[in-house]
Amino acid sequence: MFKYLLSVLSIIALIGFSGNAAAFCFPKVSYRCVGDHAVDAAATDATIQLAITNTTCPRTVITITHEIPSALSSLALEINGKSDLTLVGVPVGETCAYSTSCDPEVGCGGGGGTPPAPTATLHGNGAGSVIYIHGSSSVTLESLELTGGGGTDFGGGIHFTGSGALTIINSTITGNNANSQGGGIQFNGSGGNATLTLSAGTLIDENTSGGNGGGIHINGSARLMALQPYTEIGFNHAPNGFGGGIQVEGPAQADIGSPGYNGLGVVYGNDAEYGGGISGYSVDGYWATVRLFTTDASNPVTVSSNFASHTGGGIYLRTNGPNIPDFCAYDFRIDNNAAQEGSAIYGDEDSEAGNYYGAYIFLNSGPQECQEPETIDTLGAVRCAAGIVCNTVNGNVAEDSSNHPTAGSTILAQTAAGLIARRLIMRNNHGAHVIRTFGPYGSAAYGSIVNCLIADNTLTAEMIRIDDDGLSPAEATSFDGCTIVNNGNQGAPVIYSAHALTLTNSIIDELSINTLNYVGPGGGLNVSDVLATDISTLPSAAGIDQGEPLYVDAANSDYHLQPTSTGIDFAPANGGVDLDGNPRDVNLSGVPGNSTPRDIGAYERQNKFQCGTSDSIFCNGYEYSW
């Protein structure tokens, strides 16, 4: 976009410094430059606001020099109804003749390295947003740092309300605050659809909201797209509200797939009262939707090291009557977060006129959920590469603001909430339970876990607890193809269920601990093809065996089965894939045992010499679809 910059600015200089040059709209791109015309003939405007006001062409780039230092400070800029307007920072010492290969249409850092730092800093005046964008506007910010915005209810760094788009490239929004919504960015889709795109090199960090959305608050007919590398929403604060990193308020939607920034997750180190990392909040008759998915096969999308002083360390989902938030994660990591309750994920409830409504939590749940307005594959979603740790809820801690342990759960789905998980690893979490639900509501499909590894967690109560919500205890929660091993929980049973329960094709290897405390409805317990160290609490039936399997390397937490282990070729064929994404029902030739082809537990051994890598995905390179 900048290759014609010198010639265009020369033409502008010949026309003169009257500002009338903006009346001539060139076929492709028009340019203005903020600088000192007394020493720089190509400068068109002495302030950024003048350059914005004088822009009349639909495709205009405003470059911002350091020639007039005061032009970059005490700012409260306003952009109203501008189409395809780009603001670009210029390095110190450069004039309006500066050109760059950093094209606003494609972003910076295209060579794969870390993008360069922003080249110009815009300081707010502390009494409003640094930039207020409204009307029908399409704006790109590039190579800029926005800081010092505050004293406003909405959007300390940027307040966008209207329709159109805001794209941020190679820029940082930091050190801003808002009294109510969006310490860094408040983005409201009003009067039409609006899209906020965080492109490569975007950092939203160290912003604070007195209410919701420490980093970003997005609401109305709006979407957040954070799909590019070198993107981070980190170290933001909403100590008295929702969404330390991001608050998504219905009907807004967030699609987050960035691999993050230099080893840190895309949503990292934020804090709030509810939803330290991300809060999905359904209000006013509208659902909120949050989707996580990986776009870099070697670097899964990650929500990590966030804290909530109340509930939802990583993710918090709030329901408002029948308006239910959807959270869908595919090939993800939700690790090392903390909260009093729901240290990784908390799905809340609401009641209205005697009816209960709960949030929906879908983890690799399939193509039928959260696939609007387009599939995630359309947005660049990929599967994790071979050997990459993926689909994890690891290292989350139930604790309060003083770091004191609490009796919280890693994942908690409240009354009427739904939890579906396919291919889920839960390791090294601390709290009372790794999973606590109040039973599936309305359909057993909304309370099922398939292909899970629950291992090496430190707990104080049942590893899995399914309480009686008083609504539909006959609806069964199901666990299939799971390995539960080497967890400490101070002697409580592995599973407590006050609802109907189905437990199949699984290994429960917890020495000196009862497997089950079932207090659900009579006839509601279905157990088959289970290998457990304790079977005294399980029904007496064929396919339920007592014993401990042989693992590839239990000392190093590799719980793949050895080829001669009990559990190999243990159960009838039932199709599907295992936790590694490998096909089920592989009958090992020449291995003594049952004639049935299916291995039980999280992993299906593919051959006698299969690799055994802890938490590996696609160990043999097997590809599959959702």
Side-chain angles (χ1 to χ4, degrees):
M1 177 178 288
F2 281 87
K3 65 182 181 180
Y4 300 109
L5 180 58
L6 293 175
S7 60
V8 171
L9 289 178
S10 297
I11 293 172
I12 293 174
L14 289 173
I15 293 173
F17 186 55
S18 65
N20 293 329
F24 296 88
C25 293
F26 296 94
K28 295 186 68 175
V29 181
S30 297
Y31 294 90
R32 304 194 70 85
C33 183
V34 178
D36 185 355
H37 188 68
V39 297
D40 187 348
T44 60
D45 303 277
T47 69
I48 302 172
Q49 188 62 65
L50 275 174
I52 294 169
T53 302
N54 290 334
T55 293
T56 57
C57 294
R59 290 173 59 82
T60 297
V61 175
I62 297 174
T63 55
I64 302 169
T65 74
H66 296 258
E67 294 172 354
I68 305 177
S70 62
L72 280 65
S73 62
S74 298
L75 299 175
L77 303 173
E78 180 178 1
I79 300 173
N80 182 10
K82 300 295 183 179
S83 177
D84 291 329
L85 175 65
T86 298
L87 275 63
V88 182
V90 167
V92 174
E94 297 288 349
T95 68
C96 288
Y98 174 78
S99 64
T100 176
S101 60
C102 184
D103 189 328
E105 294 183 348
V106 298
C108 304
T114 304
T119 51
T121 298
L122 308 186
H123 295 268
N125 64 8
S129 307
V130 181
I131 302 179
Y132 172 43
I133 305 170
H134 56 110
S136 178
S137 297
S138 177
V139 178
T140 297
L141 305 178
E142 182 174 6
S143 299
L144 295 172
E145 178 180 85
L146 273 61
T147 189
T152 178
D153 286 340
F154 303 106
I158 301 170
H159 180 196
F160 183 110
T161 181
S163 60
L166 172 62
T167 301
I168 303 175
I169 303 172
N170 192 36
S171 294
T172 299
I173 314 298
T174 184
N176 304 283
N177 66 80
N179 298 328
S180 181
Q181 314 284 4
I185 301 174
Q186 158 64 25
F187 194 85
N188 174 35
S190 175
N193 296 327
T195 301
L196 170 60
T197 302
L198 307 184
S199 293
T202 297
L203 300 179
I204 313 296
D205 66 0
E206 298 187 35
N207 303 283
T208 301
S209 173
N212 306 323
I216 300 171
H217 182 276
I218 182 167
N219 66 315
S221 299
R223 289 187 72 181
L224 167 63
M225 309 284 276
L227 309 178
Q228 299 298 313
Y230 299 105
T231 301
E232 183 185 274
I233 300 98
F235 308 104
N236 301 286
H237 316 286
N240 303 307
F242 298 82
I246 308 169
Q247 161 84 330
V248 182
E249 188 173 298
Q253 175 169 332
D255 287 299
I256 302 171
S258 170
Y261 198 98
N262 287 351
L264 299 183
V266 62
V267 180
Y268 183 91
N270 305 281
D271 63 84
E273 186 174 7
Y274 300 87
I278 302 172
S279 168
Y281 196 129
S282 291
V283 295
D284 300 329
Y286 297 107
W287 294 33
T289 301
V290 177
R291 301 194 294 188
L292 298 182
F293 50 90
T294 286
T295 57
D296 179 342
S298 297
N299 295 284
V301 64
T302 301
V303 175
S304 65
S305 302
N306 303 283
F307 175 73
S309 61
H310 198 277
T311 49
I315 309 292
Y316 174 84
L317 306 169
R318 175 159 181 166
T319 299
N320 186 345
N323 310 299
I324 298 169
D326 281 343
F327 172 68
C328 294
Y330 307 86
D331 288 286
F332 60 90
R333 294 176 184 164
I334 303 174
D335 297 344
N336 303 317
N337 303 285
Q340 292 187 84
E341 182 60 271
S343 57
I345 305 172
Y346 186 95
D348 213 339
E349 65 178 12
D350 193 16
S351 61
E352 185 177 277
N355 294 317
Y356 278 88
Y357 305 94
Y360 288 159
I361 303 165
F362 301 113
L363 309 177
N364 291 321
S365 64
Q368 72 276 14
E369 306 296 348
C370 287
Q371 295 297 309
E372 296 179 355
E374 69 283 289
T375 66
I376 59 171
D377 292 332
T378 303
L379 297 178
V382 297
R383 314 303 180 255
C384 291
I388 298 299
V389 178
C390 197
N391 299 309
T392 60
V393 178
N394 290 350
N396 301 282
V397 179
E399 63 183 17
D400 62 18
S401 300
S402 300
N403 303 120
H404 296 145
T406 65
S409 304
T410 307
I411 298 176
L412 189 143
Q414 276 284 8
T415 300
L419 171 63
I420 299 179
R422 305 285 189 267
R423 296 177 290 116
L424 174 64
I425 296 166
M426 301 187 73
R427 289 182 180 268
N428 300 314
N429 299 287
H430 292 250
H433 322 276
V434 288
I435 296 174
R436 186 181 183 190
T437 74
F438 286 77
Y441 180 59
S443 170
Y446 288 94
S448 61
I449 314 291
V450 179
N451 295 331
C452 73
L453 175 66
I454 299 174
D456 310 320
N457 300 284
T458 301
L459 308 169
T460 60
E462 303 90 356
M463 299 165 202
I464 299 164
R465 184 176 179 92
I466 307 161
D467 283 300
D468 182 5
D469 57 11
L471 298 177
S472 53
E475 293 291 345
T477 298
S478 63
F479 291 84
D480 180 75
C482 290
T483 296
I484 303 175
V485 56
N486 196 35
N487 300 281
N489 71 345
Q490 300 186 8
V494 176
I495 302 173
Y496 169 92
S497 183
H499 273 250
L501 176 68
T502 298
L503 177 63
T504 54
N505 300 312
S506 295
I507 295 169
I508 301 179
D509 184 6
E510 300 291 349
L511 295 175
S512 304
I513 297 176
N514 288 340
T515 296
L516 179 64
N517 181 10
Y518 178 75
V519 296
L525 180 61
N526 175 25
V527 182
S528 63
D529 298 308
V530 169
L531 175 65
T533 48
D534 164 59
I535 62 172
S536 66
T537 55
L538 298 178
S540 178
I544 300 176
D545 285 358
Q546 184 174 20
E548 185 177 4
L550 298 174
Y551 303 106
V552 168
D553 189 0
N556 291 300
S557 300
D558 185 344
Y559 298 111
H560 292 78
L561 297 180
Q562 293 189 21
T564 57
S565 172
T566 304
I568 294 287
D569 297 343
F570 191 96
N574 196 34
V577 297
D578 71 355
L579 183 57
D580 280 339
N582 289 319
R584 288 287 192 179
D585 307 334
V586 176
N587 199 335
L588 295 191
S589 174
V591 176
N594 298 326
S595 59
T596 50
R598 185 184 186 88
D599 300 347
I600 60 170
Y603 304 104
E604 182 80 16
R605 192 166 187 96
Q606 301 300 295
N607 56 66
K608 288 185 286 185
F609 309 104
Q610 176 191 9
C611 63
T613 303
S614 179
D615 290 353
S616 62
I617 302 297
F618 311 126
C619 187
N620 292 340
Y622 179 79
E623 292 290 346
Y624 67 103
S625 63
W626 295 118

